[in-house]
């Protein structure tokens, strides 16, 4: 992902892709170093994924 961000930055002549990557990377580092955040993040991710519609038009887990 980092390489893609740098490639886009060169292509777009903009630092925005690298800035976006740094934000995502720093989020992941902060979550990884704090077990309480890691647990909350995984619970939120699981709830979000359970609400993604399936190809049949129903929500997962419904």
């Amino acid at each position: 992902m980092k390489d893609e961000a740098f490639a886009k930055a060169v292509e777009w002549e903009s630092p925005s892709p690298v800035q976006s990557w740094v934000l995502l990377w720093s989020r992941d580092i902060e979550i990884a170093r704090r077990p309480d955040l890691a647990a909350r993040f995984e619970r939120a991710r699981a709830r979000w994924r359970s609400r993604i519609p399936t190809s049949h038009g129903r929500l997962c887990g419904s």
Side-chain angles (χ1 to χ4, degrees):
M1 187 162 170
K2 178 176 84 171
D3 293 337
E4 293 172 17
F6 278 92
K8 283 182 182 178
V10 170
E11 179 184 337
W12 298 352
E13 298 179 1
S14 169
S16 294
V18 174
Q19 291 170 333
S20 296
W21 174 79
V22 168
L23 284 173
L24 293 174
W25 176 78
S26 63
R27 175 206 63 195
D28 293 344
I29 295 298
E30 186 65 17
I31 289 169
R33 70 180 203 86
R34 293 190 45 202
D36 61 316
L37 278 182
R40 286 175 49 205
F41 184 73
E42 286 307 317
R43 283 193 306 271
R45 181 183 281 175
R47 286 189 71 202
W48 179 77
R49 285 183 178 158
S50 72
R51 299 192 181 278
I52 297 173
T54 64
S55 60
H56 302 293
R58 294 182 303 164
L59 293 177
C60 295
S62 299

